[in-house]
Amino acid sequence: MSSYETRRETDRGFGLSRREVAVIGGASGLMAITVALMYAFATTPIAEVNRLVFSVPIVGVLVYGAAITIGDLIAERGVENGSTGTAFVGMGILQVAFAAFGAGVIAFLPAETRVTILGATAIVTAVLLALISGYVYARSITFEHWGRFSIYGFLGGIVAILVGSFVLSELLLVGFALIFLGFILRLGYEIWQVRDNRNASVGLQTIGVYVAVAGVFVHVLQLVRAYVLSQQ
């Protein structure tokens, strides 16, 4: 048995604690706001940001990656320091970054199609979240390695998109897949943190789960849009 499969003793029952419910509820609320903003932004010039920055794919990845990273750091710093204002600014950056990206994906579709795609994406994301959560909670092992592997996925995806932007365009799809995998692994890692880190800040865990879920959502959104358009 590998070190990753080392079993850990746990006194957990089958129900969720109040802390876990608070984290899940908080992340779900933030995600609902993000989806609403995506729909709202789709009819504004904000949606043009995607077309502009992704005219060179690696530029788009770096711009949004930087915005998400900065927003995450500011929000976490605000929670750690007990500064509501700082946390609010960080969350604002995260919300706008994810919402602007999603708006760019659906901007050039009819209004009714936008609703359909966002709804289908929400369902698929919820199923993925349930599957990953079920797997994590069913295994009494550490998922710390998922956090490390997610970083490898992000870095590999950036390199693939960098090369694909200027040399071999086929690598763009590889980069997309690697970054998508990075967010899925990050989601599993964050869920494990919620499961085992019982003394951690609810605010910090909520931010972590939200960022991972939002990252999965925007990737699923692109896949759902491609599927819907292929059926028209």
Side-chain angles (χ1 to χ4, degrees):
M1 183 179 295
S2 71
S3 60
Y4 291 156
E5 297 296 315
T6 302
R7 296 282 175 175
R8 303 181 67 188
E9 292 298 327
T10 177
D11 56 359
R12 293 190 54 83
F14 291 100
L16 295 177
S17 68
R18 290 183 180 180
R19 178 183 57 80
E20 290 166 316
V21 171
V23 171
I24 294 171
S28 298
L30 291 171
M31 197 62 236
I33 294 172
T34 302
V35 174
L37 288 175
M38 287 180 187
Y39 184 80
F41 285 176
T43 59
T44 72
I46 293 176
E48 294 289 337
V49 172
N50 253 29
R51 182 154 58 176
L52 176 63
V53 299
F54 277 103
S55 57
V56 179
I58 187 60
V59 174
V61 170
L62 293 178
V63 167
Y64 279 107
I68 292 168
T69 300
I70 292 171
D72 190 11
L73 290 173
I74 293 175
E76 291 183 353
R77 180 65 59 86
V79 172
E80 290 172 343
N81 295 338
S83 173
T84 303
T86 301
F88 184 81
V89 169
M91 285 309 308
I93 295 173
L94 286 171
Q95 293 272 1
V96 170
F98 282 118
F101 185 93
V105 174
I106 63 174
F108 307 103
L109 301 171
E112 62 276 10
T113 305
R114 294 176 198 154
V115 173
T116 299
I117 289 176
L118 287 172
T121 300
I123 293 172
V124 174
T125 302
V127 170
L128 287 174
L129 176 59
L131 291 174
I132 295 171
S133 298
Y135 180 77
V136 171
Y137 272 81
R139 305 295 302 279
S140 298
I141 61 173
T142 176
F143 284 83
E144 187 173 359
H145 56 293
W146 281 34
R148 294 196 301 273
F149 291 164
S150 71
I151 295 174
Y152 300 152
F154 294 139
L155 293 177
I158 291 172
V159 171
I161 291 174
L162 173 61
V163 176
S165 296
F166 302 107
V167 180
L168 189 62
S169 61
E170 288 78 4
L171 285 177
L172 293 175
L173 183 59
V174 175
F176 172 90
L178 286 173
I179 293 177
F180 188 15
L181 177 61
F183 275 114
I184 288 177
L185 292 172
R186 190 70 190 183
L187 180 57
Y189 170 81
E190 295 294 347
I191 292 170
W192 166 69
Q193 289 277 35
V194 174
R195 187 196 76 181
D196 281 13
N197 244 347
R198 302 182 187 181
N199 296 321
S201 164
V202 170
L204 290 177
Q205 291 189 335
T206 299
I207 293 169
V209 173
Y210 163 71
V211 170
V213 171
V216 171
F217 186 96
V218 295
H219 282 77
V220 173
L221 181 65
Q222 295 172 78
L223 295 174
V224 171
R225 183 192 65 170
Y227 174 77
V228 170
L229 291 178
S230 72
Q231 300 303 305
Q232 295 179 352

